[in-house]
DNA sequence: AGGGGAGGTGAGAGCGCTCTCGGATGACCG
DNA sequence: CGGTCATCCGAGAGCGCTCTCACCTCCCCT
């Protein structure tokens, strides 16, 4: 265990197989242009010696790292506490693994970390970056653009700078919100309230816009700002009940918010969905199914978002190294679906 | 953006500063043994050129990567869906960042992935590994030991192989469980049931052992196997109520399980804590506080566990490269604390 | 004033790999 | 049967860095 066996090099394999380094290299990298018997011999030598290429040496000459950074800006604990991000990460991991890429995770908190991440990305340690930019005033997109690293954002970055070349993957937050509100309207509800998410995030803004699309001349009193947390949902719901006791439906910006709202509604004696219908967003599974009553919500395929981000990025990275591709990748907005459960 | 500026090399910095490569290297790596005026000149040149060392070239000669792999075996979605892991990851990230190490995340699903991870670790791409080995029959510890990579496990690995040199960080699951059950007993409860976790994980086994420590001659009917999920908790609770309608307390193996149990208890007309007192484990925050009533539970400092794992590993890694250290690192078991809320 | 030593600095040899380029080999055609 | 060309393989030059070792300076002691 403490004994570090000297790892075999290309040279050693070449000697054993009785060929040159170049030939071994060719075989290891796909084996094109090497005749079958030689390929066999080299493969055998690799096997016997347990040869594994030295990635550092390889990167040194190829300038590729087969590694992608995943940057998660995490100013608040909340973000990380919900499973949303974990699911996305899983999708990303799957896709990267399938293409033999490593995932380098960079978690940031605060300004100093931003600088550090910027330096790291500019340092050319990775071939590209997947960035979850969560807040409107986040300096990260700017830093990254300057670093010149191919990047795909998770969620539309709320960034006022140069938009050219910005690629992102997002859910159709606005469309999903419209569906939710229309569903409530279709149930005959007319006093439909909205508890927003944290409005410094584009997803919250987009969902609010979707609500407004349907409720064109809604009572402004029916809109209360939340923050994507259950506690925020509770507070907002209390405020709503005080302001508009006659409301008959609530569209919450996410499931956690809805869960909080549900508790307050129950405590206030309202029956859900009979008195007040509630719709959430995300279909965050441990939560949405476990509320009482089970939550009607807007589902987004989170894992697929992650996978797509990775795919888009890898395409961009390939383009960079000069391989043929069909044009620059562009942003993708994934559809959402309404999941009907008991709450609306 | 598409234009990849050629990054300056050590050579370039040396030329600009009018010194040799060796001197620049010395300055970049701490500057020991270089006279002040020269240090200044080199620093200036580095600054002006925006020089960033090429990690690949450096690793090639030093055989260090300043990178640590975090391996998460994830046979079931559940593991990833709960925030437990995310918190630990955060602790790890902080500690690694503080020591200028990168975090390479390896997510595995299924046997093929295990082989892949084994190969990766054996390939010497990272200086060490942090492994979350979740199941008793997991082949990963064996693979890793064979790969000869310094490793620290998250949670006691339930592994029957050679235990020498196995280092892990765990919570005092057994002690925490004892505290929980004693607390219930202290409340005057006598028919205390236990819903276990998934018993192929050591944490579940240890918590069960802790329960048994206190309930030395408990009715075996009071113990039902769960699986750490809310649904499992519901099922188990129903079974318990059918078998032992006279139970007056439940110790659930984790908070999610407790949440499920709580729902079933309420549905069955039992009042909590009046009729049945409930204690969970983890103090998983969005969950434990939001249950009705708020959950009394056993808190473990998850983030600290992560930080500690990283610290232990880095110490082991240093030892490897020949730096002085105070002996081989050994496993650590962190204490837990009982958090009293409304449910017991 | 001369010698020894300590401390700074530079030259150069790799680390393990890829990739270009020239040479060898054999197939195929006239 | 000689020439042409495509195909396959090996020699060798780096990629950007670290680190050893020799040299050079300058200081201090006798």
């Amino acid at each position: 265990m403490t004994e570090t066996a000297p790892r075999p090099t290309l040279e050693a394999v070449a000697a054993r197989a009785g060929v040159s380094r170049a030939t071994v290299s060719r075989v290891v990298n796909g084996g094109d242009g090497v005749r079958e018997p030689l390929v066999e011999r080299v493969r055998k030598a690799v096997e016997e010696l347990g040869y594994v290429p030295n990635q550092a040496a390889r990167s040194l000459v190829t300038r590729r790292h087969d590694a992608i950074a995943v940057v998660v800006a995490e100013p608040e604990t909340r973000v990380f506490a919900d499973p949303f991000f974990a699911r996305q990460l899983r999708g990303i991991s799957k896709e990267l693994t399938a293409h033999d890429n490593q995932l380098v995770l960079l978690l940031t908190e605060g300004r100093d970390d931003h600088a550090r991440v910027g330096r790291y990305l500019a340092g050319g340690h990775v071939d590209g970056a997947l960035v979850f930019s969560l807040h409107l005033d986040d300096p990260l997109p700017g830093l990254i653009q300057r670093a010149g690293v191919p990047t795909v954002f998770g969620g539309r970055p709320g960034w006022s700078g140069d938009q050219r070349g910005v690629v992102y993957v997002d859910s159709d937050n606005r469309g999903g919100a419209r569906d939710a509100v229309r569903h409530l309207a279709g149930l005959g509800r007319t006093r439909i309230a909205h508890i927003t998410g944290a409005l410094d995030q584009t997803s919250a803004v987009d969902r609010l816009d979707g609500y407004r699309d349907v409720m064109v001349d809604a009572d402004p009193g029916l809109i209360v700002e939340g923050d994507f947390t259950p506690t925020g949902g509770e507070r907002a719901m209390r405020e709503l009940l005080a302001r508009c006791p006659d409301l008959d439906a609530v569209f919450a910006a996410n499931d956690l918010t809805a869960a909080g709202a549900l508790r307050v509604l129950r405590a206030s004696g309202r029956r859900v969905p009979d008195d007040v219908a509630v719709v959430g967003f995300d279909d965050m599974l441990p939560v949405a199914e476990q509320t009482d009553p089970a939550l009607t919500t807007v589902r987004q395929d989170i894992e697929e978002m992650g996978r797509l981000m990775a795919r888009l990025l890898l395409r961009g990275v390939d383009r960079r190294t000069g391989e043929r591709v069909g044009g620059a990748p562009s942003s993708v907005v994934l559809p959402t679906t309404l999941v009907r459960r008991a709450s609306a």
Side-chain angles (χ1 to χ4, degrees), chain A:
Chain A
M1 182 130 185
T2 328
E3 205 53 46
T4 314
R7 291 209 291 137
T9 70
L10 247 204
E11 189 80 50
V13 177
R16 177 158 198 126
V19 297
S20 72
R21 281 202 325 278
T23 298
V24 178
S25 177
R26 278 188 271 258
V27 171
V28 169
N29 293 294
D32 297 338
V34 180
R35 248 183 293 244
E36 196 43 44
L38 272 199
V39 172
E40 236 7 88
R41 249 161 64 204
V42 172
R43 289 253 160 78
K44 188 152 159 287
V46 166
E47 191 68 30
E48 290 169 353
L49 263 38
Y51 170 74
V52 185
N54 181 319
Q55 183 60 39
R58 183 180 275 176
S59 294
L60 184 55
V61 28
T62 59
R63 269 102 208 300
R64 291 194 100 239
H65 300 85
D66 296 320
I68 296 294
V70 172
V71 182
V72 183
E74 183 212 359
E76 287 148 75
T77 317
R78 189 195 62 67
V79 180
F80 214 3
D82 77 35
F84 190 95
F85 164 68
R87 293 261 266 293
Q88 226 154 356
L89 201 52
R90 172 128 74 106
I92 291 170
S93 167
K94 275 187 186 163
E95 189 71 20
L96 290 184
T97 299
H99 291 82
D100 277 318
N101 269 264
Q102 295 311 320
L103 191 169
V104 177
L105 187 64
L106 304 175
L107 264 31
T108 76
E109 312 180 69
R111 299 276 152 169
D112 296 354
D113 275 14
H114 278 153
R116 181 176 55 80
V117 167
R119 229 178 306 124
Y120 182 76
L121 293 180
H125 299 290
V126 290
D127 301 328
L130 296 175
V131 178
F132 295 85
S133 172
L134 298 153
H135 293 264
L136 287 178
D137 59 346
D138 202 310
L140 219 43
L143 279 172
I144 287 165
Q145 196 167 61
R146 226 168 304 135
V149 185
T151 300
V152 173
F153 291 90
R156 183 167 62 84
W159 185 48
S160 46
D162 188 351
Q163 298 292 330
R164 283 172 308 166
V166 171
V167 178
Y168 64 87
V169 173
D170 203 351
S171 280
D172 183 9
N173 288 306
R174 188 161 182 167
R178 273 196 299 258
D179 290 348
V181 180
R182 281 205 199 102
H183 172 69
L184 289 168
L187 258 34
R189 313 291 167 140
T190 52
R191 298 287 287 165
I192 303 174
H194 178 43
I195 304 177
T196 74
L199 288 174
D200 60 341
Q201 300 178 33
T202 56
S203 58
V205 174
D206 292 350
R207 289 170 199 182
L208 172 57
D209 285 345
Y211 167 85
R212 285 201 173 117
D213 286 345
V214 181
M215 308 289 288
V216 269
D217 31 39
D219 177 355
L222 284 170
I223 300 175
V224 175
E225 186 166 349
D227 56 6
F228 284 135
T229 71
T231 324
E234 290 179 357
R235 191 192 38 66
M237 193 68 237
R238 269 190 292 269
E239 193 174 330
L240 275 173
L241 286 178
R243 267 199 329 228
C244 316
D246 62 333
L247 60 83
D248 55 13
V250 177
F251 166 49
N254 74 343
D255 291 347
L256 292 175
T257 299
L262 239 34
R263 262 194 302 276
V264 170
L265 284 171
R266 183 161 8 122
S268 80
R270 258 81 164 183
R271 288 168 308 155
V272 176
D274 314 77
D275 301 330
V276 179
V278 176
V279 177
F281 207 113
D282 284 351
D283 195 27
M284 188 177 294
L285 268 191
V287 177
E289 284 181 340
Q290 306 289 342
T291 54
D292 180 19
L295 202 61
T296 292
T297 187
V298 179
R299 172 183 294 162
Q300 37 185 348
D301 190 341
I302 300 174
E303 194 171 321
E304 175 62 17
M305 277 180 72
R307 224 168 1 227
L308 206 53
M309 285 177 70
R311 208 172 305 149
L312 247 44
L313 181 61
L314 290 176
R315 203 185 297 166
V317 167
D318 280 350
R319 187 165 56 99
R320 215 179 203 220
T321 60
E323 291 178 29
R324 69 214 171 340
V325 253
S330 59
S331 298
V332 176
V333 175
L334 292 172
T336 58
T337 45
L338 190 75
V339 179
R340 289 208 50 179
R341 294 206 183 84
S343 73

